[in-house]
Amino acid sequence: EIKTMALHLQVYVYAMGASQLHETVLGEVFVPSLVPFVTMSLVGDNPRTFTVWGPEKQLPPGFSRETDAALVTEHGVRPYLGDMVLDIKWMPESPSRPEVG
């Protein structure tokens, strides 16, 4: 499913450990289409809110997504971590070809 997204952003947290800086993926943001940014960039700002999803949960041993679908439906596959407000400025090559920038 990630391959069908226009953008896949990773949100990192950086922490200083005893000996080095640790970099950990905190969550991910998926942007399904850039069309709203392309069409609205000619008009003005167009910030959009996207969900920040946590890492994919692992089911306990002995459970599977196929046989225990209710468990996945009830608890979800990825936890909700928060929201990201994102605005992309698209600079089209020309007004006649807004999809090329």
Side-chain angles (χ1 to χ4, degrees), residues 63-81:
F63 291 89
S64 74
R65 291 196 170 122
E66 292 76 30
T67 58
D68 301 298
L71 182 65
V72 173
T73 302
E74 181 181 341
H75 298 287
V77 176
R78 289 177 175 264
Y80 166 83
L81 297 181

Side-chain angles (χ1 to χ4, degrees), residues 7 28 30-31 36 41 45-46 49-51 83 87 96 99 101:
L7 291 177
E28 298 175 288
F30 303 97
V31 179
S41 66
D45 293 342
N46 184 35
T49 303
F50 296 95
T51 301
D83 295 317
D87 194 5
S96 63
E99 73 282 0

Side-chain angles (χ1 to χ4, degrees), residues 1 7 14 25 47 49 57 62 64 73 81 83-84 90 93:
E1 296 175 16
L7 291 177
Y14 295 94
V25 175
T49 303
K57 293 181 184 177
S64 74
T73 302
L81 297 181
D83 295 317
M84 173 187 279
W90 183 263
E93 186 177 280

Side-chain angles (χ1 to χ4, degrees), residues 39-62:
T39 56
M40 291 302 294
S41 66
L42 300 173
V43 178
D45 293 342
N46 184 35
R48 301 280 176 142
T49 303
F50 296 95
T51 301
V52 179
W53 296 106
E56 191 168 344
K57 293 181 184 177
Q58 301 298 318
L59 290 176

Side-chain angles (χ1 to χ4, degrees), residues 7-29:
L7 291 177
H8 171 215
L9 307 171
Q10 292 183 319
V11 179
Y12 285 85
V13 62
Y14 295 94
M16 190 62 153
S19 62
Q20 63 182 356
L21 181 68
H22 294 280
E23 177 180 293
T24 304
V25 175
L26 182 66
E28 298 175 288
V29 177

